[in-house]
Amino acid sequence: MPALLWFRRDLRVWDHPALLAAAGSDEVLACFVLDPRLEKTSGQRRLQFLGDALRALRDNLDGRLLVVRGHPEHQIALLARKIDAAAVHISADFAPYGKRRDEKVSAALGSIPLVATGSPYLVAPGRVKKSDGTAYKVFTPFLRQWRATGWRAPAKSDATSAHWIDPADVPIRACAIPNPGAPLDIAAGAAQERWTSFVRDGLKSYDTDRNRPDMAGTSRMSAHLKFGTIHPRTMVADLNPRDRGAQAYLRELAFRDFYADVLHHWPGSVWRNWNSHFDDIETDTGADARRRFEAWKAGHTGFPIVDAGMRQLRQTGFMHNRVRMIVASFLVKDLHLPWQWGAAWFLDQLVDGDMANNQHGWQWCAGCGTDAAPYFRVFNPNTQGVKFDPSGDYIRQWVPELRGAVDVHLRTGDRPPGYPAPIVDHAAERREALHRYQVLGS
């Protein structure tokens, strides 16, 4: 009997356990459902990357990918019945929305099983537990148990693993794949090539260069991991356990799994403080706060490293991870705005916008998440800029008003014409942030 393979965050044919599971059937229909609820919450660049990844997947399947639009609980049930599917195969989804969606789809399928095989993670959420069976709240012990738990070798799948049904033979109208025309600085269909290039040229120095936004020291694999155009197992197979750069990279993949695990166990933390003690902290939300928020979004704060990061985000849909921490700390502790405002803007702009990583990265900076940075740790945006962009090349790239400045960090106080004055006094706002934290703890 036929099977339906429903692609989601696994837009590839290599190292795909669900594909292998589906391939045990006589023939397989590959499909993707454009969910209007997710389209509405995706920025244009993320939709562009999705569309490009779908086109690359379709090419890898020689055109045998059916893309439809609609609510998955309706479309998947309809497709399964049209081909008389014995099962619908998926990679497991552990995010709150994904779990709710899959429950609805399973109910709509009735007696047709929804079979989950594999996940987008090295170690799926829920597998790494303490000895008493509870979830970890701190990363370091999670990391130790995560390593001990281990992961499987890459699955040996490719486009020839299954006998594919031609979508033209299915009486369902396909929809157009998204193509909003948004410019991207990363190719969705080149995950393996980018990873191979990074392993060859950048991995060895990753542990020393990854915090420098002025250097090409990171892999830029985050969007590929978000959409599953490559599986982390494929990447880890290339990591030398004796290489410091490789082990630093593996630790970042562990953080990805940790945040997914946290969101799996505490789904309410997607928009609420994981640490409810912070629910009563004072934040600014009035008209002045909104004006400061707009200046932050536009990269017009008067703090060079913050403005460089925010303009990079707005122009490319990407921001270096170290700079993400700097701009997040600035929004929460210098501007005293709710972290949710910043998290929502990031999700709107980032190509690699991932719910678990984004929300819990923001909560780490705000001090209200698991294993969070102490609230009294307030990044000084000026010293952070000097430390991580010492030559000022990153700032010059994204803040043209400062390209001719002798000192782009503006330590002398001289500001070129056209570049704004600081919208806040960092020293004063640091004291205010600490005061609000102390009031919370009293």
Side-chain angles (χ1 to χ4, degrees):
M1 292 184 68
L4 184 64
L5 176 58
W6 176 18
F7 285 94
R8 292 107 68 86
R9 288 184 56 188
D10 49 1
L11 304 181
R12 64 186 185 278
V13 294
W14 302 278
D15 192 3
H16 199 306
L19 189 160
L20 285 181
S25 300
D26 296 332
E27 51 185 357
V28 179
L29 176 64
C31 75
F32 183 88
V33 179
L34 281 168
D35 186 338
R37 291 168 293 198
L38 293 181
E39 281 187 286
K40 190 181 296 185
T41 59
S42 296
Q44 292 298 292
R45 289 190 184 90
R46 194 150 68 251
L47 279 178
Q48 187 68 53
F49 192 97
L50 169 63
D52 292 350
L54 286 171
R55 280 180 281 275
L57 175 61
R58 183 181 60 187
D59 290 345
N60 288 328
L61 292 171
D62 292 329
R64 292 165 299 186
L65 175 69
L66 177 60
V67 179
V68 297
R69 176 177 278 104
H71 292 173
E73 60 267 30
H74 301 144
Q75 297 296 332
I76 292 299
L78 177 62
L79 285 171
R81 293 187 173 96
K82 286 289 185 183
I83 66 169
D84 195 21
V88 177
H89 291 271
I90 58 171
S91 299
D93 193 334
F94 294 89
Y97 178 80
K99 288 191 282 189
R100 293 193 304 269
R101 175 203 58 207
D102 289 353
E103 288 171 0
K104 292 178 183 177
V105 170
S106 184
L109 286 170
S111 61
I112 304 172
L114 184 66
V115 181
T117 309
S119 79
Y121 304 101
L122 271 173
V123 184
R127 286 187 59 205
V128 180
K129 297 178 182 177
K130 298 181 188 177
S131 57
D132 63 1
T134 60
Y136 284 97
K137 301 177 181 178
V138 178
F139 175 69
T140 301
F142 173 91
L143 175 63
R144 287 194 293 268
Q145 188 58 38
W146 179 83
R147 289 179 182 274
T149 300
W151 43 86
R152 298 177 180 86
K156 294 184 170 150
S157 66
D158 60 29
T160 67
S161 298
H163 179 67
W164 302 101
I165 297 173
D166 188 336
D169 296 334
V170 181
I172 294 287
R173 185 175 181 179
C175 73
I177 293 176
N179 193 16
L184 296 177
D185 65 351
I186 185 169
Q192 187 61 63
E193 293 85 346
R194 175 170 283 276
W195 174 244
T196 299
S197 174
F198 176 71
V199 170
R200 182 186 65 240
D201 301 327
L203 188 58
K204 190 172 185 61
S205 58
Y206 176 76
D207 61 327
T208 57
D209 295 349
R210 65 190 179 91
N211 276 311
R212 291 283 299 274
D214 58 333
M215 303 172 68
T218 63
S219 68
R220 290 298 308 273
M221 294 299 294
S222 55
H224 291 295
L225 286 167
K226 155 69 181 174
F227 287 97
T229 53
I230 194 170
H231 196 283
R233 274 188 314 250
T234 303
M235 299 161 66
V236 168
D238 293 328
L239 298 182
N240 186 336
R242 294 180 296 278
D243 182 77
R244 288 184 60 185
Q247 291 311 296
Y249 198 93
L250 183 64
R251 190 172 184 273
E252 295 305 307
L253 291 175
F255 257 117
R256 179 174 181 265
D257 283 10
F258 175 59
Y259 284 150
D261 191 74
V262 170
L263 190 59
H264 170 61
H265 288 287
W266 291 278
S269 65
V270 69
W271 289 112
R272 297 198 299 270
N273 296 326
W274 179 87
N275 183 351
S276 59
H277 178 65
F278 278 78
D279 289 353
D280 294 327
I281 198 165
E282 180 186 357
T283 59
D284 297 346
T285 58
D288 286 343
R290 286 286 173 185
R291 282 193 286 272
R292 293 196 300 272
F293 182 52
E294 292 302 318
W296 177 84
K297 285 166 56 178
H300 291 152
T301 69
F303 290 84
I305 192 70
V306 174
D307 292 343
M310 298 307 298
R311 296 188 196 188
Q312 181 187 26
L313 175 64
R314 198 160 196 154
Q315 293 176 41
T316 70
F318 177 78
M319 188 193 299
H320 187 280
N321 190 61
R322 167 55 60 174
V323 186
R324 294 187 199 197
M325 290 189 281
I326 295 169
V327 304
S329 176
F330 186 81
L331 178 127
V332 173
K333 297 176 183 178
D334 282 77
L335 304 184
H336 316 297
L337 306 181
W339 66 263
Q340 292 91 339
W341 289 14
W345 178 245
F346 270 29
L347 286 176
D348 180 74
Q349 295 289 303
L350 285 169
V351 174
D352 64 16
D354 175 88
M355 192 62 78
N357 277 355
N358 188 66
Q359 307 309 84
H360 285 282
W362 270 93
Q363 293 203 50
W364 183 88
C365 290
C368 59
T370 56
D371 203 15
Y375 194 81
F376 52 79
R377 180 186 295 170
V378 181
F379 284 179
N380 182 320
N382 298 314
T383 57
Q384 289 279 310
V386 171
K387 181 177 181 180
F388 295 111
D389 185 24
S391 65
D393 288 346
Y394 175 74
I395 292 170
R396 287 189 180 91
Q397 179 179 1
W398 298 108
V399 186
E401 304 97 301
L402 298 178
R403 284 176 188 161
V406 176
D407 176 16
V408 297
H409 301 294
L410 305 181
R411 286 166 289 194
T412 63
D414 295 329
R415 289 181 175 261
Y419 186 63
I423 60 172
V424 293
D425 180 298
H426 170 71
E429 302 309 333
R430 180 181 183 276
R431 290 193 295 271
E432 175 63 17
L434 296 179
H435 169 71
R436 295 187 187 198
Y437 177 66
Q438 289 161 357
V439 169
L440 181 68
S442 61

